[in-house]
Amino acid sequence: MTALRSLRLKKNADRRLKAGHLWLYSNEIDIQATPLKDFAPGEQAQVEAANGKALGVAYVNAHSLICARLVSRDPAMQLDRSLLVHRLNQALALRQRMFDKPFYRLVHGEGDLLPGLIIDRFGDVLVVQLNTAGMEAQLEPLLDALDKVVSPSAVVLRNDTSGRRQEGLESQIEVVKGTLPEAVELEENGVRFVAPVLDGQKTGWFYDHRVNRAWLNQHVAGKRVLDLFSYVGGWGVQAAASGASEVLCVDASAPALERVADNAALNGLHEQVAVGEGDAFEAMAALKADGEQFDVVILDPPAFIKKRKDTTAGERAYGKLNREAMRLLGRDGLLLSASCSMHLAPERLVDSVRGAARHQDRHAQILFQGHQGPDHPVHPAIPETSYLKALGVRVFRD
């Protein structure tokens, strides 16, 4: 084990670490004692309080706003194959406790004490995102550790995230182990899907809404359902499998809609599921103009608020989205309104729904408040690890 250089904090800058946080910002570092520019991107360092007391080990990137991320509170424990095996075993134990089949997010970054690392599991296929220079430096030890803990038949790197650009890393999509099967399948809530792991969004699938979909699935039998921002049909195809009489999936991506149709056919649901290509707002306007009405409308848009400065505009967009969706509900309908914007506070999504209902002179009753599933654990000291919100809302007229 190589000796690590010290990263010294300013006085009182250790408070967040002591409270459980894993991040350090550049303005918390004593750059006179330990200049950040001296560290290579991804280099590990021993973090020290202002008085020299060792606080743990972190990897460093002076080019990132978060200049260091803690990987261990034991100053003698560096991030290497051994620690990766240990953390992966901890993560796997949680998933095996929660799920009876190997389809889940295996590692959720800081939530699993592995900052910068995302791994989604599709049976024997793993899709990995290395979002930081510190994790990028651990690629070979990580692949060895995954072999020991999971023994995957194939590993895909989906290193094409915006976070990598902020870390000064190149974009890359590559199969780094094994050969991908022609179709990478998963099962969620008893329904089969094919995930586009090489060219789909993120890792190809969004496991985070599993619990929220399971709730909605209980309330769609015999209903006419509109699934906006449908992607490959996670919500809509499951609704059809749960007895919805008719489902319309709308997305701006033609390839995504082709996969909706494929996933519907995979489950024998092609007659119940139709698709429509286009912008969600334009599609809603056209449906309203045609006099269409639905019993259930699902809103699961991409993040409208990617940065804090986007909050005001993003909140307006969520408000408009919910207003237009409610116009398409019958007298007594169900709205599933979701947001994956970390910067949107849960109460602000409630405000969007409340304001939309009042705008339509309707009543709203919140029946369900959901968040990300247990394979996306929230680190209690890091609010950023809690990002997903979902509201099940009855919308009705007197």
Side-chain angles (χ1 to χ4, degrees):
M1 183 176 292
T2 55
L4 301 180
R5 292 193 288 169
S6 297
L7 186 68
R8 182 70 60 92
L9 302 183
K10 293 178 179 176
K11 186 177 181 181
N12 297 326
D14 57 353
R15 287 176 175 169
R16 279 187 315 106
L17 283 190
K18 288 181 175 178
H21 215 293
L22 304 179
W23 294 352
L24 291 169
Y25 294 94
S26 53
N27 62 359
E28 296 173 315
I29 308 302
D30 182 348
I31 57 173
Q32 300 302 317
T34 56
L36 271 173
K37 60 182 176 57
D38 289 352
F39 290 90
E43 180 181 344
Q44 295 185 57
Q46 185 174 105
V47 180
E48 296 179 352
N51 63 5
K53 181 183 177 183
L55 301 173
V57 174
Y59 60 69
V60 183
N61 188 353
H63 305 300
S64 174
L65 176 64
I66 303 168
C67 73
R69 300 178 195 242
L70 203 71
V71 293
S72 171
R73 294 187 181 274
D74 181 346
M77 188 177 290
Q78 299 180 26
L79 184 60
D80 57 13
R81 181 183 181 278
S82 176
L83 183 55
L84 286 165
V85 167
H86 175 63
R87 294 268 194 261
L88 288 171
N89 275 318
Q90 287 179 318
L92 180 62
L94 170 64
R95 278 71 182 179
Q96 289 179 332
R97 192 182 310 163
M98 296 291 169
F99 307 110
D100 60 358
K101 294 186 178 178
F103 307 110
Y104 41 67
R105 173 151 292 183
L106 176 60
V107 174
H108 186 55
E110 281 79 352
D112 285 299
L113 305 180
L114 286 168
L117 178 62
I118 298 294
I119 304 176
D120 278 353
R121 183 176 189 181
F122 304 91
D124 292 334
V125 175
L126 300 180
V127 181
V128 177
Q129 291 181 328
L130 305 169
N131 293 320
T132 57
M135 275 299 166
E136 176 96 341
Q138 296 296 319
L139 175 57
E140 292 307 321
L142 174 64
L143 293 176
D144 285 347
L146 288 171
D147 268 343
K148 180 174 178 60
V149 176
V150 185
S151 299
S153 62
V155 177
V156 179
L157 286 188
R158 278 300 300 263
N159 287 341
D160 56 344
T161 64
S162 59
R164 283 179 64 85
R165 290 193 294 275
Q166 295 164 12
E167 289 266 325
L169 301 170
E170 293 182 358
S171 183
Q172 169 196 30
I173 300 174
E174 183 183 359
V175 180
V176 290
K177 179 195 172 178
T179 302
L180 276 184
E182 189 172 323
V184 177
E185 287 199 25
L186 69 121
E187 183 181 311
E188 183 179 290
N189 297 324
V191 184
R192 294 168 63 202
F193 293 90
V194 172
V197 299
L198 287 177
D199 57 359
Q201 295 179 26
K202 305 289 186 178
T203 64
W205 183 256
F206 296 92
Y207 282 121
D208 50 4
H209 267 306
R210 178 198 323 249
V211 177
N212 304 324
R213 292 183 185 121
W215 178 82
L216 186 68
N217 292 346
Q218 302 172 67
H219 306 288
V220 296
K223 307 296 186 185
R224 190 167 192 241
V225 177
L226 173 62
D227 178 12
L228 293 161
F229 309 97
S230 69
Y231 185 42
V232 298
W235 292 93
V237 174
Q238 286 191 41
S242 298
S245 59
E246 186 181 339
V247 178
L248 174 60
C249 290
V250 174
D251 200 274
S253 165
L257 292 175
E258 289 177 12
R259 283 156 173 155
V260 170
D262 291 344
N263 285 325
L266 185 64
N267 292 278
L269 300 167
H270 51 283
E271 292 186 0
Q272 290 101 304
V273 180
V275 299
E277 183 183 347
D279 171 83
F281 288 99
E282 294 174 2
M284 285 191 287
L287 289 166
K288 182 64 179 172
D290 290 343
E292 299 282 2
Q293 283 197 336
F294 296 86
D295 303 302
V296 180
V297 176
I298 301 160
L299 301 176
D300 184 17
F304 288 159
I305 308 174
K306 294 187 184 299
K307 298 180 179 177
R308 196 175 299 277
K309 66 180 178 61
D310 303 328
T311 299
T312 300
E315 288 182 352
R316 281 199 299 269
Y318 284 112
K320 180 181 179 183
L321 185 66
N322 282 276
R323 285 197 303 275
E324 298 308 309
M326 286 184 189
R327 292 179 189 275
L328 292 169
L329 284 171
R331 291 190 61 86
D332 191 347
L334 186 62
L335 175 70
L336 192 293
S337 182
S339 167
C340 61
S341 295
M342 184 271 294
H343 293 293
L344 183 74
E347 59 269 20
R348 297 300 289 160
L349 183 59
V350 172
D351 283 346
S352 292
V353 167
R354 175 192 53 76
R358 294 311 309 135
H359 187 271
Q360 308 292 337
D361 196 24
R362 298 195 189 196
H363 302 290
Q365 294 173 320
I366 296 176
L367 313 178
F368 171 79
Q369 298 188 63
H371 47 83
Q372 63 219 57
D375 53 345
H376 292 63
V378 174
H379 192 300
I382 307 178
E384 291 85 352
T385 60
S386 177
Y387 65 94
L388 196 70
K389 296 154 281 281
L391 299 175
V393 187
R394 181 192 187 202
V395 181
F396 63 102
R397 301 184 190 277
D398 273 333

